[in-house]
Amino acid sequence: MEICKEFGEQIQNIKDRKPLVHHITNYVTVNDCANITLAIGASPVMADSVHEVEEMVSIASSLVLNIGTINEEKLISMIKAGKKARELNIPVVLDPVGVGATAYRKEAVDRIIKNVHLDIIRGNFSEIKTIFGLQGQGKGVDSEEIHSEKEYMEEAIYVAKELSKKLDSAIALSGAIDIIAEGDKVAKVFNGHEIMTKVTGTGCMSASLIGSFLGAKVEAFKSAIFGTASMGISGEMAYEALKQKENQGIGTYRVNIIDSIYNLNYENICKRAHIEVEG
Amino acid sequence: MEICKEFGEQIQNIKDRKPLVHHITNYVTVNDCANITLAIGASPVMADSVHEVEEMVSIASSLVLNIGTINEEKLISMIKAGKKARELNIPVVLDPVGVGATAYRKEAVDRIIKNVHLDIIRGNFSEIKTIFGLQGQGKGVDSEEIHSEKEYMEEAIYVAKELSKKLDSAIALSGAIDIIAEGDKVAKVFNGHEIMTKVTGTGCMSASLIGSFLGAKVEAFKSAIFGTASMGISGEMAYEALKQKENQGIGTYRVNIIDSIYNLNYENICKRAHIEVEG
Amino acid sequence: MEICKEFGEQIQNIKDRKPLVHHITNYVTVNDCANITLAIGASPVMADSVHEVEEMVSIASSLVLNIGTINEEKLISMIKAGKKARELNIPVVLDPVGVGATAYRKEAVDRIIKNVHLDIIRGNFSEIKTIFGLQGQGKGVDSEEIHSEKEYMEEAIYVAKELSKKLDSAIALSGAIDIIAEGDKVAKVFNGHEIMTKVTGTGCMSASLIGSFLGAKVEAFKSAIFGTASMGISGEMAYEALKQKENQGIGTYRVNIIDSIYNLNYENICKRAHIEVEG
């Protein structure tokens, strides 16, 4: 497939350009985000003081915002950095971790969206649906009504597309099958393994990978696809490595994920990537 | 032993219920706490903003407080979350990391205890003794006077029991032999390995495991026993895995601990658990 | 070499003394800093609340300051802790992470230097040069003018020596060849591997190792040499372990580094250390 060739080439592009990816992120998975950014060939910087985020983002190639352990100080820094990024045409990714869990997280995402143009929003169905409910009409979006996998996919694609149009952002909706939408374009990524949900931070790390592609000047829709698929492929490679030895578990699996991203290249991407693009 | 059978069954209970364990914890070992919670089959959420902790704890099944990197903001959040937890009958564990080290940590624990009912306090002898000194009369509690292992055990059991009665909390006192006390009931857990003290966060992770049992509706005394013994057994399994290959050290050991918790099941628990319950 | 024998002996000295190393550091690599401190045989404590840092540093044997995720609160705590450390003759290391990146980081380092005597500053060429530009005349310090490796070494040694004299600090300047300077004394450490730059936190961990030697009463110049060389040797051992198995990457490499520090001893240090001292 053409898309897989380009995917393989863009991995090399990241390694050549070594884009600086500025993160304002949570303290739970921040080390994994830094190491996964290095593993794919980009360069991470984590800085969240209101006194420096505008200057830091100015020297970066992309900005990753993650609300995992959001507080007022970080939120103000995110908005400052995001506005400056827009001014300088530096692309921005948002990972709205657990946005449906509390009113404060909803408010935080609302304030970010009102102040910052987001090139990509990356989240699971529940998170993306919550944002759609905040920003859209929420019509027909009720997980209670979803009875089959087919219904889930239709609903998820509908929400992703509509939110994309509403916010002029690409949407990366993670799940058993990942959905990427930008306007009427949709891609499905079939890579991944269910054990990935048993390690903290695979979502956060996906956002860092998406930020790495964005920082290497890959367009938003493709950055969302390639970042998501990089994590999915690495999740599969990590699982194969896990099964080579008995008595291993998610401690080893977490290490294997970063190893696998480090070992991504044109050949294993072309062999493993399972991506379908429509529209 | 009956207790070991129940222990083995409750591990499956956690995997079935997948309780949400809300942590307000330190930034040193937070990633390990999240992954160990996932490894045993529960689901972690880390959130500490004063703007959301009450709402977050309301959807959780248990709350873990850890003062490892305490500051005023976190302390206020802990008290808010703890009060709300009590209101909703959600059980609370406290890990008073290093409480003896500074006046501020003593004050923090004092303020938590005055405002929040703690179902379980988990700490080492020095930490538990410090709290007993704060809250009790401190009579006869002087490590200078302890000359033998027998004297240590007597002293530790006395302090754990008295503090338990004073605060109406179960006490999990970690050491070469772990002591669990609730009122006049005492249990000893003989599992564990001394190399566990060479990795940061084994105490914090124990608190997360205790919180996982609590979240699965296991009573406080047994949650303290099972959480503590889970860590001890996993510490033994991790050490056995460490010795299978040369030139490994505490980097690998930390990974092995999380792997071992992931692999706990009825069979290896019944085979390995070494627990004595009295009273 | 005499210096390597002493290096080997001082590793044992750390294990015997188990010095408490107080860190006020960033939340990205803090877990690695804690584990590497344990791995070499010292004991870490991370505490940054303004309400307790003076008391915490008072019971510590050394203090490590790291501006990786600096903010006003941490900066005030660093200065408080640093002043108290000086008062009590407790040695202080500074790792000025990314000091050249933003005006705020420059200001932060400036405020630290104006208030706290630093026994050792550990950074890469760019960071050390930035501080020299802030504190010195900056004469002849222009990376644009550096064309060869020889020129780089001359420039780096010049900057390290001059900054050392200006601030009365030992300087540990990391690079392909590490340079340690104190007044007119200079040492070169040839250990290390380039893959170390692909893992986040190797610099931060070096600072923790330097702090561990300092805490064991090793003089500043030698602490800087031994801490730097410990990381370099461990980076080599970790790479050898990495190559023993296919498909590994920087996830495993990070684990190997901590394992290797844990396994440092008189024998492998004497065999591997490659240090040259002049002046």
Side-chain angles (χ1 to χ4, degrees), chain A residues 25-27 30-31 34-35 38-39 41 46-49 51-52 55-56 59 73-74 254-255 258-259 262-263, chain C residues 27-29 32 68-72 101-105 195 197-200 247-252 254-255:
Chain A
T25 190
N26 69 74
Y27 59 84
V30 59
N31 186 272
N35 275 322
L38 284 162
M46 275 62 184
D48 60 18
S49 168
H51 297 295
E52 67 169 357
E55 198 176 349
M56 194 62 93
I59 58 167
E73 215 178 320
K74 283 207 188 196
R254 172 182 174 233
V255 173
I258 294 175
D259 281 359
Y262 183 75
N263 288 314
Chain C
Y27 59 85
V28 185
T29 63
D32 291 332
T69 52
I70 192 72
N71 57 34
E72 273 303 291
T102 67
Y104 181 60
R105 295 196 180 211
I195 198 177
T197 62
K198 298 295 288 180
V199 185
T200 195
N247 298 324
Q248 298 191 130
I250 61 161
T252 299
R254 171 182 174 236
V255 173

Side-chain angles (χ1 to χ4, degrees), chain C residues 4-78:
Chain C
C4 295
K5 279 191 190 173
E6 187 183 344
F7 179 10
E9 287 161 5
Q10 294 294 6
I11 285 276
Q12 189 55 49
N13 181 28
I14 294 176
K15 292 182 202 299
D16 294 339
R17 286 177 179 264
K18 296 184 186 61
L20 186 67
V21 183
H22 180 192
H23 290 69
I24 304 180
T25 189
N26 69 75
Y27 59 85
V28 185
T29 63
V30 59
N31 186 271
D32 291 332
C33 289
N35 276 321
I36 208 101
T37 303
L38 283 162
I40 204 163
S43 184
V45 67
M46 275 63 185
D48 60 19
S49 168
V50 74
H51 297 294
E52 69 169 355
V53 290
E54 288 170 297
E55 198 175 347
M56 193 62 93
V57 79
S58 302
I59 58 167
S61 297
S62 60
L63 175 64
V64 176
L65 307 177
N66 175 309
I67 66 161
T69 52
I70 192 72
N71 57 34
E72 273 303 291
E73 216 177 320
K74 283 208 187 196
L75 182 52
I76 291 165
S77 290
M78 286 183 190

